[in-house]
Amino acid sequence: MKLKQKASPELEKLKTLHGPQKIRYIWDYYKLPIVVLCILLYILGYSLYGHFTHKEKILYTALVNVSASDSLTEQLSTGFLDSLDQDTSKTTMQLYTGLYLTDDETNPYHEYTYASRMKILASIDGKQLDVVLMNKEAFDAFSQNGYLCDLEELLSSEDVDLYNRLKPHLVTNTVILEDNSTDLQLDPSITYQAVTEEHPFGLDLSQTSMISDAGFSDIVYLGIIANSPRTEEAIDYVRYLL
């Protein structure tokens, strides 16, 4: 003899309801499980969407103290991907714009300096900055803080022909290895002292048609970030600009 399990009062009542009353009854008694299920479905859907639409960033570049037209911005970003014949549905590159570094309080972009500095530092620490295009003031700042790699050392070890071609256009700058700036803040009467070195940290891009045709009044320098994990791609970017 088979035993029939008695239905719960909630299910018995559910059978007697129809239309909107039935929907409202389900919502009242099963609200929490429904909400939890919806959240889980959303998380699952979001994860699947991110997995199938994710694009690998092959290079992170930045314009610092340099304003580019829409046309030049396009050349500096998607133009590079096209030159590599990359599948743009799977790969992309990041081009940071609107970054400014200046100590000149009369500079109209001075108010953006703090936010730009924080973004630059975070990008370098997170290894999400590889190449910088910048003016002389930004070039000095990046060099002094030790953020740029020695281009002579990098290029000569990776591509001798490219290094020989670019050697006349490499620009030396100063890196501060050690100084007494902290002591100077505590006692302004002491003399500033620093231990420095000079290395070819920058590349003058004046000889490149892409930059020269843009009509910049000042020299635009290229630097490669010292801790970049994508130096091969960075060198490819240099070849592309040439």
Side-chain angles (χ1 to χ4, degrees):
M1 182 174 62
K2 294 182 180 180
L3 297 177
K4 292 185 179 179
Q5 186 178 8
K6 186 177 181 180
S8 66
E10 291 82 1
L11 291 177
E12 290 292 341
K13 184 174 181 180
L14 183 62
K15 294 178 180 179
T16 64
L17 299 176
H18 302 281
Q21 290 182 331
K22 192 170 188 176
I23 296 174
R24 183 173 181 179
Y25 186 83
I26 292 174
W27 175 250
D28 288 341
Y29 278 91
Y30 300 99
K31 183 187 303 182
L32 181 59
I34 291 174
V35 170
V36 172
L37 178 61
C38 289
I39 293 174
L40 292 175
L41 289 175
Y42 172 80
I43 294 174
L44 177 61
Y46 185 82
S47 300
L48 290 174
Y49 175 80
H51 174 74
F52 289 109
T53 61
H54 173 73
K55 291 185 178 183
E56 178 189 1
K57 284 189 172 67
I58 64 172
L59 193 70
Y60 294 82
T61 64
L63 302 179
V64 183
N65 292 6
V66 173
S67 297
S69 65
D70 292 341
S71 175
L72 180 58
T73 300
E74 185 77 12
Q75 287 180 288
L76 294 174
S77 53
T78 55
F80 172 59
L81 294 177
D82 292 341
S83 73
L84 297 178
D85 196 25
Q86 290 282 340
D87 183 354
T88 55
S89 67
K90 296 180 179 180
T91 59
T92 185
M93 67 171 290
Q94 178 70 54
L95 176 62
Y96 301 116
T97 60
L99 299 176
Y100 299 95
L101 296 176
T102 180
D103 292 326
D104 182 4
E105 296 184 359
T106 64
N107 190 304
Y109 298 109
H110 183 265
E111 61 181 296
Y112 302 107
T113 295
Y114 178 78
S116 295
R117 184 179 291 113
M118 293 300 100
K119 185 175 181 63
I120 290 169
L121 289 175
S123 299
I124 293 175
D125 288 342
K127 296 185 177 181
Q128 294 184 337
L129 184 56
D130 307 301
V131 177
V132 186
L133 275 62
M134 54 202 155
N135 72 347
K136 183 63 166 62
E137 186 175 14
F139 179 39
D140 290 341
F142 273 83
S143 299
Q144 290 170 8
N145 286 281
Y147 296 147
L148 301 177
C149 71
D150 184 322
L151 292 181
E152 181 177 43
E153 181 179 327
L154 175 65
L155 294 174
S156 61
S157 64
E158 296 292 334
D159 189 332
V160 176
D161 291 337
L162 181 63
Y163 165 67
N164 291 330
R165 180 182 176 188
L166 296 179
K167 187 176 180 179
H169 307 288
L170 296 181
V171 182
T172 299
N173 212 328
T174 301
V175 56
I176 299 175
L177 303 178
E178 182 182 346
D179 67 4
N180 62 343
S181 57
T182 302
D183 296 334
L184 191 63
Q185 292 177 359
L186 300 175
D187 184 2
S189 64
I190 65 176
T191 303
Y192 176 74
Q193 296 178 335
V195 178
T196 65
E197 287 183 356
E198 290 191 350
H199 295 274
F201 293 123
L203 172 65
D204 181 352
L205 294 177
S206 301
Q207 81 279 10
T208 65
S209 59
M210 189 183 303
I211 299 301
S212 61
D213 292 346
F216 291 107
S217 57
D218 298 321
I219 295 175
V220 176
Y221 300 89
L222 178 145
I224 296 178
I225 300 300
N227 71 343
S228 168
R230 291 167 286 271
T231 53
E232 290 185 10
E233 290 79 1
I235 293 175
D236 284 338
Y237 194 67
V238 173
R239 293 193 187 97
Y240 165 70
L241 294 178
L242 295 175

